[in-house]
Amino acid sequence: AAQYPSATATRAAIAALSDRLEIMANKVTSATWGANDNKNSDVKYPTCKAAAAATASYDGAEHLANRVTTVSLFSTDDQYPTVKAVADAILWRIRMYYLFNGRYYTANGN
């Protein structure tokens, strides 16, 4: 307890550990996430709170680029149909079933 390291020894020990220490200058909080293009940096890293705040804005978000209004043979797993597209596809299948089975089908089921 009576011994203490020199400044040179301390600096050398800290430098040896520098790859395992948190670099506080690169930490980005939720308040600074959008500032200075932090979110596009390869060096900056968000705190857990900043990451949660950044993803919270996407909760319930609809990705319009993947929405389709028709269901077809060309639909992919990345796309999702609207409710009307699904209803139209089901109705079309029912109509085709009745057409090819010699029955007539109307929207009210007659």
Side-chain angles (χ1 to χ4, degrees):
Q3 298 176 339
Y4 56 92
S6 68
T8 304
T10 303
R11 187 189 322 180
I14 292 172
L17 296 173
S18 66
D19 63 310
R20 290 180 257 157
L21 297 176
E22 179 180 14
I23 303 170
M24 297 299 287
N26 291 339
K27 181 166 73 171
V28 179
T29 64
S30 58
T32 60
W33 181 246
N36 302 323
D37 204 30
N38 286 329
K39 61 186 173 187
N40 293 321
S41 173
D42 286 337
V43 178
K44 302 283 186 173
Y45 61 92
T47 61
C48 291
K49 185 177 179 182
T55 58
S57 63
Y58 294 109
D59 288 348
E62 180 179 358
H63 301 284
L64 295 177
N66 294 346
R67 183 178 68 181
V68 293
T69 56
T70 59
V71 178
S72 72
L73 293 173
F74 303 107
S75 297
T76 67
D77 286 338
D78 294 332
Q79 299 172 324
Y80 62 94
T82 62
V83 172
K84 184 177 183 321
V86 173
D88 288 347
I90 292 170
L91 184 59
W92 181 83
R93 292 284 290 191
I94 290 170
R95 284 181 177 162
M96 291 299 106
Y97 171 80
Y98 283 107
L99 178 69
F100 289 108
N101 286 304
R103 298 185 184 119
Y104 178 72
Y105 175 81
T106 61
N108 64 6
N110 295 325

